Amino acid sequence: MLVSEEPVETHGSRPTVVGLPVLDRLILALVTLPSVLLFGCLIPSLARWAVARSGPLPMRPIFITVAAVDQPWEVAVNLILWLGLGLAVVFWVLRESTKVTITDAGVRVQQGDWHQDVARADVHAAFVDGRNIVLLDRDSRQLICERHRTSGATLALAFQAHGYPWHDGDPYAELYRRWSGAANLPPALNAVLQAREAALRRKATKEIRELRTAAQNLGFSVRDAGARQYWRPLVRS
C-alpha cells in the first residue's frame, strides 16, 4: 500500500510504504522537464552568440557544433536528448528520495542502493525531528535518523497503524546541548564531532551516518541543525 499525503488505512499485516509525496513528484516533473526542454531550445542560439563574440572561447569546437543545430531534424534530436536528460534527473531524484516501509515486524528505510532494517521489538520511540524521521531504541540510541519529505501527520498515521510508539516530538529534546568543541566532553567525542561537522558541510551522507554511530558508541547521541551539532548523553533504561 502506497502512502503519500492521503489518510493511512490499516490492512492487517500488509506493509505501508511512505515515499515522496505525490504533490512533490508532480512539482518535480512539471518544473524539471519544461526547464530542461527550454534550455535545450535556447542552447543553440546561446552557442551561436558565444561563437560570434570576439576573443578566446574555451572548447570552441563544441560551441561551433552546437551552434550549427538549426535544421528541423537536428532541433528534434537535440530536444529528445535534453528530454532524456530531464527524465534521468527526475528518475534519480525519485530513486534517491527516502522511502520508509513499515510492517508489524519492522521498518526498512531506503535511499537508492542504501537501506537499513530495524526490528519492531527494538523501536521504543518514533517521531519526526524537523525533516528527519527518527527511531530510538530502549537506551535512546538513534536506530534511524534520515531526512524525509512526507508530513509528520502522515508518518504518524503510518506508524500508529502498525502499533509503533509514536511521539509528537523528541522525548529527549531538552537534554541536547550545542556543540562548539566543548572542553568538558571526552576528547574522543570532540574528535568525532569535529570530523562530523566537516562531513555535514560536505553533505557526505555515508560519513555522517558512520560518525553518528561512532558518537553513540561513546555513549552520546547527536542531532543536527544545518552544519550545527547538538549532543546529549544516552539515557539508559
Side-chain angles (χ1 to χ4, degrees):
M1 177 177 61
L2 179 63
V3 177
S4 55
E5 294 301 317
E6 296 78 13
V8 175
E9 301 177 6
T10 305
H11 290 271
S13 60
R14 289 178 57 188
T16 300
V17 181
V18 186
L20 192 66
V22 173
L23 180 59
D24 285 24
R25 298 183 203 183
L26 289 174
I27 292 174
L28 174 65
L30 293 176
V31 171
T32 302
L33 297 181
S35 298
V36 168
L37 287 174
L38 177 61
F39 184 75
C41 289
L42 294 177
I43 194 169
S45 298
L46 293 173
R48 285 190 285 271
W49 171 81
V51 170
R53 293 183 61 200
S54 59
L57 179 64
M59 298 182 294
R60 176 175 287 272
I62 296 177
F63 278 86
I64 292 174
T65 300
V66 175
V69 175
D70 58 359
Q71 297 298 316
W73 71 269
E74 293 174 335
V75 172
V77 170
N78 176 56
L79 292 180
I80 289 172
L81 291 175
W82 283 102
L83 178 61
L85 176 62
L87 290 171
V89 170
V90 170
F91 175 79
W92 180 84
V93 172
L94 292 176
R95 183 176 181 274
E96 293 299 316
S97 61
T98 303
K99 181 175 70 174
V100 181
T101 303
I102 309 162
T103 70
D104 294 347
V107 179
R108 167 170 286 198
V109 178
Q110 186 171 358
Q111 293 176 355
D113 294 328
W114 174 87
H115 73 270
Q116 184 171 344
D117 295 312
V118 177
R120 166 65 183 88
D122 294 334
V123 179
H124 287 260
F127 57 91
V128 170
D129 182 17
R131 298 301 302 181
N132 291 336
I133 173 67
V134 183
L135 304 181
L136 302 182
D137 69 5
R138 185 186 300 275
D139 295 329
S140 78
R141 184 185 302 269
Q142 294 178 0
L143 302 170
I144 293 289
C145 182
E146 297 295 333
R147 291 187 67 82
H148 202 286
R149 294 189 59 84
T150 303
S151 70
T154 297
L155 285 167
L157 288 172
F159 276 92
Q160 290 169 347
H162 291 275
Y164 286 77
W166 183 265
H167 294 253
D168 292 334
D170 188 342
Y172 303 101
E174 295 181 357
L175 299 180
Y176 280 98
R177 298 291 181 266
R178 170 78 184 276
W179 179 78
S180 55
N184 60 327
L185 292 177
L189 178 63
N190 277 324
V192 168
L193 294 181
Q194 184 175 7
R196 194 169 181 276
E197 186 174 78
L200 285 168
R201 293 197 182 99
R202 299 195 310 273
K203 298 182 178 180
T205 304
K206 181 179 179 181
E207 188 176 350
I208 291 169
R209 292 190 188 111
E210 292 172 347
L211 291 168
R212 180 199 304 138
T213 300
Q216 294 188 141
N217 289 339
L218 294 171
F220 294 85
S221 177
V222 294
R223 63 183 293 197
D224 313 317
R228 300 188 302 276
Q229 297 184 99
Y230 296 79
W231 62 271
R232 66 165 173 83
L234 295 179
V235 180
R236 303 185 186 278
S237 59

